[in-house]
Amino acid sequence: MSIVTVQLGQCGNQIGFEVFDALYTDSHCPQGLCSKRENEAYQASCKERFFSEEENGVPVARAVLVDMEPKVTNQTLSKAAQSGRWKYGQHSCFCQKQGSGNNWAYGYSVHGPRHEESIMNLIQKEVEKCDSLSGFFIIMSMAGGTGSGLGAFVTQNLQDQYSNSLKMNQIIWPYGTGEVIVQNYNSILTLSHLYRSSDALLVHENDALHKICAKLMNIKQISFSDINQVLAHQLGSVFQPTYSVEGSCHYRRNPLGDLMENLVPHPEFKMLGIRNIPQMSENSLAYSTFTWAGLLKHLRQMLISNSKMEEGIDWQVRPPLSGLPTLGKASLNRGLHFNMSIANLVILRGKDVHSADLGGFKDSALYTSWLEPINAFNVWKTQRAFSKYEKSAALVSNSQFLLKPLDTIVGKAWNMFASKAYIHQYTKFGIEEEDFLDSFTLLEQVVASYCNL
Amino acid sequence: MTQSVVVQVGQCGNQIGCCFWDLALREHAAVNQKGIYDEAISSFFRNVDTRVVGDGGSISKGKICSLKARAVLIDMEEGVVNEILQGPLRDVFDSKQLITDISGSGNNWAVGHKVFGSLYQEQILEKLRKSAEHCDCLQCFFIIHSMGGGTGSGLGTFLLKLLEDEFPEVYRFVTSVYPSGEDDVITSPYNSILAMKELNEHADCVLPIDNQSLFDIISKIDLMVNSGKLGTTIKPKSLVTSSAGAVKKRHQKPFDAMNNIVANLLLNLTSSARFEGSLNMDLNEISMNLVPFPQLHYLVSSLTPLYTLADVNIPTRRLDQMFSDAFSKDHQLIRADPKHSLYLACALMLRGNVQVSDLRRNIERLKPSLQFVSWNQEGWKTSLCSVPPVGHSHSLLALANNTCVKPTFMELKERFMRLYKKKAHLHHYLQIEGMEESSFMEAVSSLSGLIEEYNQLDATKSMPVEDFPRLSIAV
C-alpha cells in the first residue's frame, strides 16, 4: 500500500526533499547486510510505498508540494531533478506568489478556501496513481503561516474527502527561543485544529534535533539542511519496510495502519515521538560496534527519562514502583519525572535482530494501567540494515514526552493573549478571540489528560 | 514572488531613492551573472523592450533588455529630479512616472499636504495605478521622504492616505528621515509633528532615520580607513557608504555616503523576500511579527558590518562580533538606546554564510543583556538569506520595536511646543485653506497618545514577570 505525502510551506518542502532522498538512498544502499533476494524485496516494498515509476525509469516521489510563494518549491523541485536518482512529478506542485506572512489566519481562512479545489485536485491525482492507499503523510511546521494554517485546513479537507484513509501529520515544534514571534499563537491554533482532524501527530522538536547535530553528529556550523537530514534519518528508520508476520522477504503492507493500531489506542492521546539509536557522523561510525543489549538498554532509559539522544541520559530516573498512583499536575515541576508511556513500538534493523532481548520494554511499570503490556508494546524487525548502520533501533512512543513543551507553549501563548498583543493581525482575517479561546480550552484538556496518566 | 514599488518624495526622498536604485542595480548585477530577467530582479525592476513605443514593451522572461525601476518620483521643485534624469541613471527611470512642479513647498507641510495634495491627487493616483498594473503581484509600497521639510513631509504623508484607500491590501513601509536637533529648517518641528499623525494612522511600518546617526557612522568609518593600522585595508565595494563598483558610474555627491546607508537598509530589508535562503522572511512577515499593536509600528534599525577588511578569513569570533555590533549604538540609523529600554519585538535578518547554529548561539549570548516585554520574552523573528550583500560574506540587519523611540518623539514634541507657544511662523500654515489651529492640536494629541502607549509599556519594565493564571479544566 502507498503513502501520499503532502509537503506544506518552506519547512515542509525542505524536509520532504530530505525524507525522499534518505528513503531512496537507503533503499539503494549496497550494504544491506542481507541476501540479494531480501534486498530486492525491501527495495520493492519501499518503492511501492513512496515512489511511482516514470517512463524513463526515474522514480517519482508520491508527493504533492504546496507553498504560497515560489522560491522554496522551485529549489526543491530542481534539487530533486538534478540528483538524477529520483524526482518529483512535473505537475505535482501548487504554488502562489505571495506567502502567508507567518499568519495562521491567512493560511487557514484566506489561502485555504481560495486554493482548496486546486490543492485537493493535485492530491486526488496522486492518490489515483496508487494501487491501494495506506494514507496521507502531511509535513508541516507549526510556527509559520502556510505549513501551520494551510496545513490545518488541508488536513480537515482530507478528513472530509477521504474519511476512510489515515492521516498522519509530521509537525515541527519550533525552537523555544523564537524563530517567529507569533509562533506560539500559530502553534496552539494548529495543534487544536489538528487534534480534531488528524489521526496521529508525529512531533519533532527543533531544539532536540539541533542537540543531536551538535553533540552526536559533531557538526560545527549547523544548518537547517543538517537538521532536516537527522529528521529524515529518523523518519526513514520508522517508515522503511519491516517484516510482516510471515517474516523474511515478506514486508508489511500497511505501515500507517499498523502504526496507528499499535500506538493510538485512544483519540485523546495522539502525539507520537521518535527516538533513534545509534546516531553519529559517518567518521565515527567506522570505529563503532554495538550490541543489541547495549542499544536497547540506552533506548529504554531514553524513553523513561525523556531524553532525545543517547548522550547525557539521566540514569537516575526509574519507573515508579507498581501500585503507587502517579502524581497529577504537581509532577510537571518535579525534576526526576518519569515518562509514562501509553504505547511503544520498537523497530529493529540489521544483524542478528532475532537475538535482541526486548524484555525491558515489556515491564508493566512503564505503561499506564489501561492496556496490558502485551498490547501496549510491539516490535517490528528486519534483517536488512538501515543506512549504513549495522544495527539500528528506533522507538516510536505515545508517552508524556511532549507534556512539558506543550504546557510551555500554551503558557506563553496565554500570556501573550492576555495582553492582546498581535490579535489584530488574526482578527483581520477572520480568526476571532473566541477561536483562540476554543484552542486554549482544547489544549488545556490535552495537557491535563497527559498529566494525569 | 511579489513586487514592490518605491515612491520617492521631495529632495531627500529622491536623493536617497537615487542611491537606492544605483545600489540595487549593483546588487542584482553581482548576483545575476547570466543577464536573465528572473523573479528576484522583477521585484524592483521591469524588463522593457525600448524599441516598442508606449506601454506594450514589458517582457516578463528571458534576457534582460532594459531595466526600468518600479518607482514614482515626486517633487514640487524640479532641481533634484531633473538632475537624476540627466544623470547616468536616466535610463533606469520611466520618464512618465514622475510628478514635478516648479515652486516647491517652502518647507511648509500645509503647502505640501493640502495645496499640492489636492492639486496633484489625480495625477498621483494615475501614476500609482500604472505602476501597480505593471506588477504581477504587488505586495508593498516603499515611501522615502524626510519629515522636516514641506514636500516630503506634507505631500509624502498625503500619499499614505491615498495608498490606503486605493490599495488597501498593499503594505505601506515608510522610511522617514527625522530632523536632528540642529536642523536648519526652523519649522521642522511643525512639519514633523503634522507628518507624524499621518504616519501613526496610515503607515504599516515606519523606519525612522536621523542624519546625525548616519553622520556618526561615516565618521566611524573614516576613522577606521585613516587609522593606518596594519592590515586594515578595506574592500571599497564593502563600505556601507560607497557606490564603488556601481553599474552606472555616478559622481559621488555630498549626501551620497549617508544616503547609501539608507539604501543598504532597504536592500537588506528586502533581501530575504527576493533571494533564496534556508529561512525566508517576506515583507508581510515583518509587519506580522514586529507590530504587536497597530499604533506601535516604529522600528529602530541597525546595520552591520559597515565594511569588510581585505583579509578573507572570517573565524567564528568575527561572526559573533557582527551580532554584538548590531546591538551597539554605533550601528543604529537613529539615535536611541534600545539596550536600556524595553524590547517589544526584535528581528534579525541575516545574509550570506550564516547558519541556524550561529544564530541560536548569539541569541542565547545576547538575550540576558536585553529586556523584553513580559508577554514577549522570546520575541525574536529571524531569517537566513543565502545571498550576501556586495563586498561582504555575510551581514546582519536588526529591526527592533523598542520603547527607545520614545525620547526622540518626546524631544520632537518639546521643540514643537516651544515654537507653538510663541505662535512662531504659524500664520504660514493657517493661511492655507483647510489648516486650522485644531489641525495642530490633533497632531500633538496623536503624538501624545503614542508616547503614552510607550510609557505604559515602560512602566512594566521593572515589574516582575508573572504568568497569567491559566484556564482551569474540569477533568
Side-chain angles (χ1 to χ4, degrees), chain A residues 273-287:
Chain A
I274 301 182
R275 284 171 185 76
N276 194 292
I277 191 172
Q279 266 209 291
M280 52 182 43
S281 61
E282 263 188 58
N283 303 340
S284 313
L285 193 53
Y287 302 102

Side-chain angles (χ1 to χ4, degrees), chain B residues 72-366:
Chain B
V72 178
L73 290 70
I74 304 179
D75 200 358
M76 294 296 102
E77 50 182 20
E78 297 180 311
V80 179
V81 174
N82 277 347
E83 216 186 315
I84 294 178
L85 292 179
Q86 283 156 17
L89 281 172
R90 61 180 170 277
D91 293 328
V92 176
F93 294 103
D94 184 341
S95 54
K96 290 179 254 101
Q97 288 296 82
L98 38 107
I99 300 176
T100 54
D101 199 301
I102 311 171
S103 42
S105 304
N107 284 329
N108 185 330
W109 184 92
V111 173
H113 195 97
K114 306 274 184 193
V115 176
F116 287 125
S118 55
L119 192 58
Y120 285 104
Q121 177 164 335
E122 273 318 305
Q123 271 196 55
I124 293 176
L125 273 176
E126 190 207 313
K127 309 290 180 199
L128 290 173
R129 284 189 199 122
K130 215 351 101 61
S131 57
E133 271 163 38
H134 284 137
C135 295
D136 206 10
C137 181
L138 176 60
Q139 186 179 48
C140 186
F141 282 107
F142 283 98
I143 295 104
I144 314 179
H145 72 149
S146 70
M147 299 283 279
T151 300
S153 176
L155 191 53
T157 50
F158 173 81
L159 256 189
L160 288 178
K161 182 86 179 55
L162 270 189
L163 289 171
E164 189 174 357
D165 291 337
E166 185 76 11
F167 306 93
E169 316 236 309
V170 181
Y171 288 89
R172 295 170 293 286
F173 277 39
V174 190
T175 307
S176 307
V177 180
Y178 278 69
S180 35
E182 313 80 38
D183 197 272
D184 51 5
V185 175
I186 303 181
T187 49
S188 63
Y190 285 160
N191 297 331
S192 303
I193 301 274
L194 289 163
M196 276 290 287
K197 174 164 178 294
E198 307 301 312
L199 289 182
N200 279 347
E201 290 170 19
H202 306 298
D204 287 312
C205 224
V206 179
L207 300 161
I209 317 267
D210 74 54
N211 278 341
Q212 188 58 49
S213 300
L214 299 180
F215 193 72
D216 288 343
I217 290 179
I218 294 176
S219 310
K220 185 170 183 238
I221 293 177
D222 280 343
L223 213 64
M224 209 36 229
V225 173
N226 297 324
S227 68
K229 278 198 229 156
L230 272 174
T232 53
T233 24
I234 292 178
K235 289 200 218 163
K237 268 197 211 173
S238 72
L239 283 169
V240 76
T241 51
S242 98
S243 0
V247 175
K248 316 270 181 186
K249 306 273 177 274
R250 277 169 62 238
H251 199 60
Q252 189 110 349
K253 298 215 277 340
F255 278 98
D256 271 3
M258 289 160 66
N259 292 342
N260 279 335
I261 300 177
V262 184
N264 275 310
L265 163 67
L266 290 173
L267 283 176
N268 286 343
L269 189 69
T270 54
S271 59
S272 189
R274 291 175 291 139
F275 301 118
E276 58 184 32
S278 64
L279 190 59
N280 295 335
M281 177 156 151
D282 213 340
L283 295 170
N284 48 11
E285 294 174 36
I286 295 179
S287 187
M288 176 71 186
N289 285 285
L290 294 174
V291 183
F293 300 99
Q295 278 240 318
L296 303 178
H297 54 245
Y298 294 86
L299 307 178
V300 175
S301 48
S302 59
L303 275 175
T304 79
L306 302 175
Y307 50 80
T308 313
L309 299 182
D311 62 273
V312 184
N313 296 313
I314 317 282
T316 318
R317 203 174 54 83
R318 286 268 178 83
L319 195 60
D320 287 6
Q321 184 59 43
M322 183 174 77
F323 281 88
S324 304
D325 285 342
F327 287 91
S328 103
K329 287 195 266 189
D330 291 342
H331 291 252
Q332 276 163 221
L333 276 64
I334 182 169
R335 293 176 119 206
D337 192 6
K339 267 196 162 169
H340 295 106
S341 310
L342 192 62
Y343 276 89
L344 304 179
C346 186
L348 298 174
M349 304 181 67
L350 285 141
R351 298 181 67 169
N353 185 16
V354 189
Q355 300 299 346
V356 64
S357 56
D358 302 313
L359 189 49
R360 307 226 62 74
R361 181 178 65 247
N362 282 288
I363 290 181
E364 288 307 311
R365 193 170 62 85
L366 294 165

Side-chain angles (χ1 to χ4, degrees), chain A residues 10 14 69-72 74-75 96-104 106 114 175-184 186 207 210 220-225 227 329 406-408 410-412 414-416 418-426 428-429 437 440-442 444-445 447-449 452, chain B residues 1-2 39 136-139 169 171 204 271-282 284-285 287-294 319 344-347 353-358 360-361 363-364 367 374-376 378-384 386 465-475:
Chain A
Q10 171 163 32
Q14 284 176 188
E69 66 100 12
K71 293 195 293 287
V72 181
N74 283 346
Q75 245 195 330
Q96 287 296 286
K97 299 183 191 120
Q98 179 165 203
S100 305
N102 286 166
N103 192 328
W104 194 94
Y106 202 80
R114 203 179 274 176
Y175 284 101
T177 46
E179 303 172 25
V180 168
I181 292 176
V182 290
Q183 65 186 42
N184 298 319
N186 292 339
D207 279 303
H210 192 106
K220 292 282 172 268
Q221 200 187 21
I222 301 169
S223 67
F224 272 114
S225 217
I227 289 184
K329 200 119 192 189
L406 179 60
D407 188 59
T408 305
V410 173
K412 288 195 192 154
W414 184 246
N415 275 338
M416 197 181 262
S419 68
K420 299 282 176 278
Y422 299 102
I423 299 293
H424 70 286
Q425 308 272 16
Y426 292 85
K428 221 184 343 182
F429 300 110
L437 282 171
F440 280 116
T441 311
L442 191 149
E444 291 286 10
Q445 180 74 57
V447 168
S449 304
N452 292 324
Chain B
M1 179 90 64
T2 56
E39 289 194 322
D136 206 10
C137 181
L138 176 60
Q139 186 179 48
E169 316 236 309
Y171 288 89
D204 287 312
S271 59
S272 189
R274 291 175 291 139
F275 301 118
E276 58 184 32
S278 64
L279 190 59
N280 295 335
M281 177 156 151
D282 213 340
N284 48 11
E285 294 174 36
S287 187
M288 176 71 186
N289 285 285
L290 294 174
V291 183
F293 300 99
L319 195 60
L344 304 179
C346 186
N353 185 16
V354 189
Q355 300 299 346
V356 64
S357 56
D358 302 313
R360 307 226 62 74
R361 181 178 65 247
I363 290 181
E364 288 307 311
K367 218 169 47 137
S374 64
W375 40 261
N376 208 359
E378 271 83 32
W380 298 92
K381 165 68 180 159
T382 57
S383 78
L384 298 166
S386 339
V465 178
E466 263 174 31
D467 288 331
F468 274 88
R470 298 261 291 270
L471 292 175
S472 48
I473 307 290
V475 179

